[in-house]
Amino acid sequence: MKSSKLILGVAVIALSFTSCKNEKEKEAEKTVESYVVYVDSLGSVAPADAKMNWESIDATYTVKMNQAETALMDIKENKEATEKLEASKLKYEAMKASVQAQLAAEMPSPKQAMRNALFGEGKIGEDMDFSWVNSSNILGVYDQFVNTVQDNKDKFSREDWDEIKLMYEALDSRKNTVEKEGLTSSDNRKIAGLKLKFAPMYTLNRMGAKSEEMEKAKQ
């Protein structure tokens, strides 16, 4: 009798354990499936939306992938689940590569990024066209240029300073034209003050950048 009760008790415990294990496996399968569904859903996201929201997409993906990989350890027969997970990983990596390539292609070159900072987004391109600068806005252009250079002077390399000098001279050339088109005496004096501020800043910092490059070359 005692033996029968013992066997029955062991059977109940075993059944309970099996039941718990099955529930755990089911939850794990759901987690893996949730990851697979998420990756599949990204296929319907418009490319423009994917680029705009990429950081959020990638962060959510990372969380779901980690959850799926952890869940995979709770699935006894996990070959199918593993294959599904790996297939979704490959699918996502292909999408990620595509989006990142598009984002990289849209990024301005270092020179263009500098022009954007010094003059405003898209104001100056490779053609160095300053025709948009006139007697009404030239003081503001000089002010933005000189003060942006001052704020970032410690970050520029010797090549950066050479590019800055090139743009500065092009702006000065435009000023010669603008002076004949109604530049006020007041604005002209303020521009002269900005030019006095720029000249020594350029000379000293370019020399410093060149010295740093020479020291690095020696090392």
Side-chain angles (χ1 to χ4, degrees):
M1 185 69 174
K2 288 184 180 180
S3 177
S4 297
K5 287 183 178 180
L6 179 62
I7 293 172
L8 180 60
V10 171
V12 170
I13 293 171
L15 183 61
S16 176
F17 177 77
T18 301
S19 178
C20 290
K21 190 172 182 181
N22 286 340
E23 285 299 318
K24 197 172 185 181
E25 286 186 5
K26 286 178 181 178
E27 285 302 314
E29 288 171 357
K30 286 180 182 178
T31 301
V32 172
E33 191 61 29
S34 174
Y35 164 76
V36 171
V37 170
Y38 176 72
V39 174
D40 287 345
S41 72
L42 296 178
S44 61
V45 177
D49 292 336
K51 287 187 294 182
M52 186 181 301
N53 300 290
W54 184 248
E55 287 188 8
S56 175
I57 288 172
D58 196 46
T60 302
Y61 170 83
T62 300
V63 171
K64 286 187 173 293
M65 182 193 67
N66 290 336
Q67 289 173 340
E69 288 187 330
T70 301
L72 199 62
M73 294 186 289
D74 292 327
I75 304 174
K76 186 176 181 181
E77 301 295 334
N78 65 9
K79 182 180 179 182
E80 182 181 352
T82 299
E83 289 176 350
K84 289 171 71 175
L85 187 141
E86 291 302 320
S88 290
K89 276 186 180 180
L90 291 174
K91 186 182 293 186
Y92 181 80
E93 288 303 320
M95 179 185 180
K96 182 177 181 178
S98 176
V99 172
Q100 289 184 332
Q102 292 175 53
L103 290 171
E106 293 173 2
M107 287 288 288
S109 66
K111 283 187 178 181
Q112 187 57 51
M114 182 186 292
R115 295 186 191 113
N116 291 344
L118 295 174
F119 296 105
E121 192 75 24
K123 290 294 183 72
I124 296 295
E126 290 288 340
D127 57 3
M128 299 287 282
D129 179 16
F130 281 83
S131 62
W132 56 277
V133 179
N134 54 49
S135 59
S136 299
N137 64 20
I138 191 168
L139 174 58
V141 174
Y142 267 99
D143 187 70
Q144 178 172 337
F145 181 93
V146 173
N147 285 303
T148 300
V149 170
Q150 183 179 44
D151 291 343
N152 297 277
K153 64 182 185 294
D154 296 329
K155 303 174 186 177
F156 295 135
S157 66
R158 180 182 58 80
E159 288 184 354
D160 291 335
W161 283 109
D162 290 344
E163 184 69 15
I164 288 168
K165 183 66 181 300
L166 184 67
M167 289 185 284
Y168 178 76
E169 290 174 345
L171 178 58
D172 268 357
S173 178
R174 177 61 182 169
K175 178 179 175 292
N176 294 333
T177 300
V178 171
E179 281 182 312
K180 303 170 188 176
E181 298 176 347
L183 180 63
T184 66
S185 298
S186 174
D187 283 358
N188 210 350
R189 285 194 297 272
K190 290 174 183 176
I191 289 172
L194 289 166
K195 288 166 67 67
L196 285 173
K197 181 179 178 180
F198 175 80
M201 177 170 57
Y202 165 79
T203 302
L204 290 172
N205 284 281
R206 187 186 182 283
M207 288 175 60
K210 186 175 181 180
S211 297
E212 285 182 13
E213 287 186 7
M214 290 176 67
E215 284 298 320
K216 288 179 180 178
K218 289 179 183 178
Q219 294 173 5

